[in-house]
Amino acid sequence: MARRPSRSRPANPDQFDLFEMPEATAVMLTFSGRTVDLAQPDLSRFSIEDIARPLAFQCRFVGNTTDFYSVAQHCVLASRLAPQGFEYEALLHDAEEAFTGDWPTPWKVRIGREMIEAAIAPVKRAVAARFGLRYPQPREVKIADQRALATELRDLCAPHRVNWKDLPPPSAMPIVALPPAAAMQAFLERYEELRPR
């Protein structure tokens, strides 16, 4: 008779035995060797590098940009466009994408925003708890995110006729796209500048 895999939580929350998980595909392996149970994420022992690296190596717009432009650099830009008091949360506004990937807006619309938001809510809550963020996200952070998007559409995307209605004005400063390692460094430096002491 086959042994039934156990679902008990490990003594070390950094590691799950993927062979013992009933549904191993619900557990994500990170670059640092940590594992995340996406249904019951525990990020209490995760460092900022666990967020910075995957964000730095993911391209916005599924790579449909004139230059490589990472989610990490997008987050740094949003933090610079956020009003005072919201910079830290703007920097980490897409932190869950270190575990979920960057969902392009057209796919969110096609699949259904509510369905996607429900699926990633446990990860967003775990990120908020780990890094001391408000949940749900404040409106001021969303506006900074939209200003970053408007800037990216202007500076990094091919001429297009998509109606990105109701976006706030872009930044006056043009974007200079960074390669992944430099984007990761910029993200980590901005984190050190903003993190609560």
Side-chain angles (χ1 to χ4, degrees):
M1 188 164 86
R3 183 167 58 100
R4 183 185 174 96
S6 70
R7 183 76 166 131
S8 63
R9 304 214 34 112
N12 179 352
D14 288 351
Q15 292 290 322
F16 292 95
D17 183 342
L18 299 186
F19 292 110
E20 290 291 316
M21 298 299 290
E23 181 53 63
T25 56
V27 176
M28 176 168 284
L29 177 65
T30 69
F31 93 100
S32 65
R34 291 183 170 94
T35 50
V36 182
D37 179 347
L38 297 179
Q40 301 176 54
D42 176 3
L43 305 182
S44 60
R45 294 160 60 106
F46 276 56
S47 69
I48 191 61
E49 288 81 6
D50 291 306
I51 303 298
R53 190 192 187 279
L55 295 187
F57 281 77
Q58 285 183 66
C59 195
R60 290 268 291 163
F61 302 96
V62 201
N64 292 298
T65 49
T66 55
D67 296 292
F68 179 88
Y69 179 75
S70 69
V71 176
Q73 188 173 356
H74 161 77
C75 291
V76 171
L77 175 60
S79 78
R80 297 196 183 285
L81 296 174
Q84 187 173 6
F86 295 92
E87 302 97 323
Y88 175 70
E89 290 181 278
L91 179 69
L92 293 170
H93 79 277
D94 281 338
E96 79 281 353
E97 292 180 9
F99 310 105
T100 67
D102 180 20
W103 283 85
T105 297
W107 277 112
K108 289 178 183 175
V109 171
R110 183 164 176 77
I111 294 169
R113 286 181 184 274
E114 297 79 17
M115 183 181 297
I116 293 170
E117 287 171 9
I120 66 174
V123 178
K124 286 183 79 79
R125 282 194 296 270
V127 167
R130 166 61 185 88
F131 292 100
L133 309 175
R134 283 172 277 203
Y135 182 86
Q137 220 166 60
R139 181 174 179 274
E140 290 84 351
V141 173
K142 184 61 181 172
I143 292 170
D145 180 28
Q146 291 177 331
R147 284 197 67 201
L149 171 60
T151 311
E152 293 155 4
L153 290 168
R154 180 194 68 198
D155 294 348
L156 297 165
C157 294
H160 55 278
R161 299 180 64 183
V162 177
N163 180 17
W164 296 94
K165 59 186 177 184
D166 301 326
L167 283 179
S171 169
M173 295 291 293
I175 293 171
V176 176
L178 300 173
M184 180 175 175
Q185 186 62 35
F187 184 95
L188 291 172
E189 287 173 2
R190 186 68 169 152
Y191 175 81
E192 283 304 315
E193 179 185 338
L194 298 174
R195 71 182 177 89
R197 297 300 200 273

